[in-house]
Amino acid sequence: MSPCPPGCCCPHPGFLVLCESLGLRSLPHSVPLSTSALSVARNQLCNVDHLLQPLSGLQELSLSHNLLARFPRGLPPSLESLLLQENRITYITSGALRQLGNLTRLDLEDNRIRAIQPGALQGLGKLQVLTLKGNQLTSLPLNLPPSLTHLDLSANCISALDLPSLSTLVNLQVLKINSNCLRSVPENTFDGLPRLRSVDLTNNLWVCECDILYLYRWLLSGRLKMATDLVCTEPVHLAHRLLLNLSVVAICPRVLMPNERTHRLQTSTAEPTAPGFKSSLDKRRDFESLSDGLLQQISKAQNIHKDVSKSHVLLENYSLETLSYEDCLSLNKTQTVSPSYLGTTSLPAEEQRCRGNVTGRYPQINATSAEETQSLLSTNRDAPLPTPNPRLFTHQDLVVISLLAVLCVLVALLMLAVLLVLKKVLRRQQRVAPLDGVAGG
């Protein structure tokens, strides 16, 4: 059996090695070459270039919470999961990931990344989960791999969505781009993403003018389950108001200008038309359509927290995250841990400890689902309670009631007419009977 490096924890030697929070300035010696999962998180590593190449069977590697200033070089091509959150990486070069074609998950959360060279991620043909949350990106990375299913770009400085970068992500299911600097969304941005089922666009700098009408109508379509409490920052008279609480006229007044000109040509008489009459009718129609859309959104939002938890299953199903260093030490003292235990152990203590090491500005990945759920709950509290649409129901009732009322009136008139006829017939018979008696006498 392969030895465990001094100070490390090896619940299954040769398979999982945990060397966390040991103050290491270099990689531990005597790591078994057969190791498939290695964590050296929460140490003081500055450079691990080419030091892990001998571990040819390594599939999962955590270098999070260290002092790495650049993306590690010479990593084993067998890697499938690479965790690099909470380091000091500032850029990603085009050749940094060239040999990592087997990666399915890459986590670069809370670094200082300002630029990703075009094509740096293009060779990752199996990458499904990419986390770039909490960096300094100003635009979407170019040439993202089409295999992506989860993309987290939240808490950056992105001011515009690049259509060519998004249009290739045909397998994308979850997109998080909240807490950025977006002001609007270009036309047809999400139309080419057939598998998209969750989008987070909250906490951006939305300008509620004509350019945002595509996003406005797309939100009202209710095709996705997502939070809809997008707040306007501009123009000044609409600041701090919810986008979906506005009418089309309030967002883009010029949409009515052609209709107003036609109306004035048709009614050019001596008596002036009452100002604002046309727009008030359109506002009423917009308010009714908006109410229908909001009711649909609210009724669908009640089940969002179920899908939010499902969207993170892929992010949390890794053995390095299911067993902490402290848990490993305690388990070694009490019992032998089998490999099947590694894939099923929950980790509440590790999550709490990770949150304690966060800088405070951005939460951890596992906290994202809580943020989404809280946002959705706040949306449901602020919105009116979902009620069935009363207009169709009332209209049908009115038709039935009207028909019954008319029928009752007709029956009553008919009975009255029959009574009058019978009364006349009886009186006539009473008059005829005495005359017949006198004639017989």
Side-chain angles (χ1 to χ4, degrees):
M1 182 177 293
S2 302
C4 186
C8 299
C9 181
C10 305
H12 185 63
F15 173 73
L16 175 61
V17 177
L18 302 178
C19 303
E20 300 179 356
S21 304
L22 298 178
L24 300 176
R25 296 180 181 273
S26 61
L27 287 176
H29 299 288
S30 68
V31 175
L33 296 180
S34 59
T35 300
S36 61
L38 172 64
S39 175
V40 286
R42 298 178 180 85
N43 285 288
Q44 300 179 32
L45 302 176
C46 297
N47 189 353
V48 296
D49 290 355
H50 305 288
L51 297 178
L52 294 166
Q53 228 167 11
L55 305 179
S56 57
L58 191 63
Q59 297 179 358
E60 301 180 35
L61 174 63
S62 176
L63 291 164
S64 60
H65 298 84
N66 278 283
L67 305 175
L68 301 177
R70 66 181 184 184
F71 197 93
R73 301 178 182 178
L75 295 176
S78 57
L79 274 181
E80 298 178 4
S81 173
L82 179 57
L83 310 181
L84 289 167
Q85 62 265 37
E86 290 277 351
N87 277 280
R88 301 177 179 180
I89 301 172
T90 56
Y91 60 92
I92 306 293
T93 61
S94 56
L97 295 91
R98 186 171 299 164
Q99 304 298 325
L100 302 179
N102 289 316
L103 270 185
T104 59
R105 181 191 180 191
L106 176 59
D107 193 335
L108 291 162
E109 178 180 349
D110 284 335
N111 278 272
R112 305 172 183 178
I113 300 173
R114 296 191 300 270
I116 298 178
Q117 288 188 355
L121 305 172
Q122 193 171 14
L124 305 180
K126 298 181 180 179
L127 189 64
Q128 297 180 9
V129 180
L130 175 60
T131 302
L132 290 165
K133 176 182 179 181
N135 284 281
Q136 301 174 22
L137 297 173
T138 56
S139 61
L140 290 181
L142 297 177
N143 306 120
L144 291 170
S147 57
L148 277 180
T149 60
H150 291 67
L151 177 59
D152 190 347
L153 294 165
S154 56
N156 277 277
C157 310
I158 298 173
S159 58
L161 293 179
D162 183 57
L163 288 182
S165 298
L166 280 178
S167 61
T168 60
L169 304 181
V170 293
N171 294 303
L172 191 64
Q173 300 177 18
V174 177
L175 174 62
K176 298 177 183 177
I177 196 165
N178 53 294
S179 302
N180 275 275
C181 304
L182 295 177
R183 297 169 64 85
S184 64
V185 173
E187 289 282 339
N188 307 319
T189 297
F190 303 118
D191 296 346
L193 306 177
R195 299 189 179 182
L196 192 64
R197 58 181 176 82
S198 177
V199 179
D200 192 345
L201 296 167
T202 56
N203 297 324
N204 278 282
L205 305 178
W206 300 115
V207 178
C208 297
E209 294 180 343
C210 296
D211 290 340
I212 208 171
L213 283 180
Y214 166 75
L215 177 60
Y216 175 84
R217 293 176 178 130
W218 183 77
L219 291 174
L220 284 181
S221 68
R223 287 178 290 180
L224 299 184
K225 296 180 179 179
M226 57 176 291
T228 56
D229 51 345
L230 306 187
V231 180
C232 303
T233 59
E234 294 182 24
V236 178
H237 67 282
L238 297 179
H240 310 297
R241 295 187 61 182
L242 294 179
L243 172 61
L244 292 185
N245 283 350
L246 303 175
S247 66
V248 174
V249 178
I251 297 172
C252 186
R254 72 166 180 256
V255 297
L256 290 181
M257 292 176 64
N259 292 335
E260 288 178 351
R261 287 197 296 267
T262 304
H263 182 70
R264 288 174 184 174
L265 288 174
Q266 293 175 351
T267 58
S268 56
T269 59
E271 183 178 355
T273 305
F277 178 74
K278 178 87 175 171
S279 62
S280 65
L281 292 177
D282 287 340
K283 286 181 180 179
R284 180 177 299 176
R285 296 192 197 100
D286 292 335
F287 178 77
E288 292 176 354
S289 61
L290 177 60
S291 300
D292 294 341
L294 283 176
L295 288 174
Q296 295 174 1
Q297 290 291 332
I298 293 167
S299 62
K300 292 181 179 180
Q302 293 175 341
N303 295 324
I304 292 181
H305 64 280
K306 299 178 182 177
D307 292 324
V308 169
S309 60
K310 292 180 182 177
S311 68
H312 293 275
V313 170
L314 186 59
L315 296 178
E316 298 172 354
N317 194 23
Y318 289 87
S319 60
L320 286 182
E321 294 188 358
T322 58
L323 187 66
S324 70
Y325 181 70
E326 291 80 0
D327 291 340
C328 177
L329 293 177
S330 62
L331 287 170
N332 278 350
K333 295 178 182 178
T334 56
Q335 60 181 356
T336 301
V337 183
S338 63
S340 61
Y341 174 85
L342 300 176
T344 58
T345 306
S346 60
L347 220 207
E350 174 65 11
E351 292 177 359
Q352 293 296 331
R353 193 166 68 85
C354 287
R355 292 195 183 97
N357 288 325
V358 181
T359 58
R361 181 177 180 184
Y362 308 114
Q364 289 289 336
I365 297 176
N366 291 336
T368 307
S369 61
E371 291 176 358
E372 293 179 349
T373 306
Q374 182 65 27
S375 174
L376 295 172
L377 290 176
S378 64
T379 304
N380 289 338
R381 285 197 298 268
D382 297 336
L385 291 176
T387 55
N389 192 346
R391 290 183 296 171
L392 293 176
F393 183 77
T394 304
H395 178 70
Q396 293 176 355
D397 281 353
L398 288 176
V399 171
V400 174
I401 292 172
S402 300
L403 291 175
L404 290 175
V406 171
L407 184 60
C408 290
V409 171
L410 292 175
V411 170
L413 292 175
L414 182 61
M415 292 179 64
L416 183 60
V418 170
L419 290 175
L420 291 175
V421 171
L422 289 175
K423 186 177 181 181
K424 291 182 179 180
V425 170
L426 290 175
R427 286 182 178 179
R428 185 174 182 181
Q429 289 180 352
Q430 289 177 357
R431 293 176 181 174
V432 171
L435 291 176
D436 291 340
V438 172

